[in-house]
């Protein structure tokens, strides 16, 4: 049975998320988290994304992004594929890294966007990793608070 095709709108705003297979804490290694974020940064620039919020936890990710005329799937494929190949090469492993296809929920109104940005920024707090989201280095909250020179978030 074929997968249902994604419906994407050029210039659409999405909550994109995915989890590492088996909940493996791949991004608990700061070097892996930084590598992943750098790939997102490259794709953002290449595809003309606007990033509203992001968070990379030990075993999953969230990005709130407005796509451009370039389809969202193209950027997400590049991010996940490029990171997976590099990760497998660095660790001498084979096979899939992601639990499945990334999820992309369309953000249809301002109220939902406001709640979503808060949800993404507070993800490390809810997980008990930090008490203040500004303490977590792999999320966009610090960027919003002006503590990062080259933010991924379009503040």
């Amino acid at each position: 049975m074929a997968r249902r095709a994604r419906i994407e709108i050029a210039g659409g705003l999405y909550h994109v998320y995915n989890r590492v297979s088996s909940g493996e804490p791949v991004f608990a290694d700061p070097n892996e988290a930084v590598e992943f974020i750098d790939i997102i940064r490259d794709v953002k620039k290449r595809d003309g994304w606007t990033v509203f919020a992001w968070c990379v936890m030990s075993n999953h990710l969230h990005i709130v992004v407005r796509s451009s005329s370039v389809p969202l799937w193209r950027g997400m494929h590049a991010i996940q594929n490029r990171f997976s190949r590099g990760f497998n090469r660095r660790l001498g492993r084979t096979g899939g890294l992601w639990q499945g296809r990334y999820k992309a929920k369309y953000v249809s109104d301002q109220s939902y966007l406001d709640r979503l940005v808060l949800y993404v920024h507070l993800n490390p707090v809810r997980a008990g990793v930090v008490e203040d989201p500004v303490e977590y280095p792999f999320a966009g909250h610090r960027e919003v608070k002006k503590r990062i020179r080259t933010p991924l978030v379009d503040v």
Side-chain angles (χ1 to χ4, degrees):
M1 179 183 211
R3 298 190 290 208
R4 199 169 69 207
R6 293 185 193 276
I7 298 173
E8 293 183 4
I9 300 167
L13 184 57
Y14 294 92
H15 174 206
V16 179
Y17 55 100
N18 205 354
R19 184 173 184 263
V20 175
S21 194
S22 303
E24 187 178 349
V26 169
F27 303 118
D29 178 341
N31 294 322
E32 297 298 343
V34 168
E35 176 68 22
F36 188 72
I37 294 162
D38 285 345
I39 294 169
I40 295 171
R41 193 178 308 281
D42 290 347
V43 169
K44 172 192 173 191
K45 184 177 179 182
R46 182 196 76 184
D47 289 0
W49 286 359
T50 302
V51 176
F52 291 82
W54 65 275
C55 183
V56 176
M57 298 293 287
S58 65
N59 66 357
H60 69 282
L61 69 114
H62 296 274
I63 309 170
V64 181
V65 61
R66 181 178 304 283
S67 65
S68 65
S69 59
V70 178
L72 178 66
W73 67 261
R74 179 177 178 245
M76 288 307 300
H77 172 76
I79 290 168
Q80 293 190 153
N81 188 41
R82 190 169 142 193
F83 181 77
S84 297
R85 285 184 316 188
F87 181 78
N88 283 348
R89 185 175 50 253
R90 285 187 295 279
L91 271 64
R93 59 172 272 178
T94 59
L97 179 64
W98 303 100
Q99 185 168 329
R101 292 196 320 168
Y102 69 89
K103 314 302 184 283
K105 289 188 179 178
Y106 182 71
V107 178
S108 57
D109 61 64
Q110 186 65 46
S111 172
Y112 179 34
L113 176 60
D114 294 343
R115 291 189 318 273
L116 180 57
V117 168
L118 190 61
Y119 170 81
V120 171
H121 283 237
L122 292 177
N123 208 269
V125 175
R126 269 192 307 283
V129 178
V130 294
E131 290 184 19
D132 183 342
V134 102
E135 298 168 6
Y136 191 69
F138 306 117
H141 188 73
R142 291 172 17 143
E143 298 172 353
V144 172
K145 296 301 233 173
K146 311 280 192 245
R147 296 185 182 195
I148 300 296
R149 289 187 187 162
T150 55
L152 186 56
V153 170
D154 295 288
V155 180

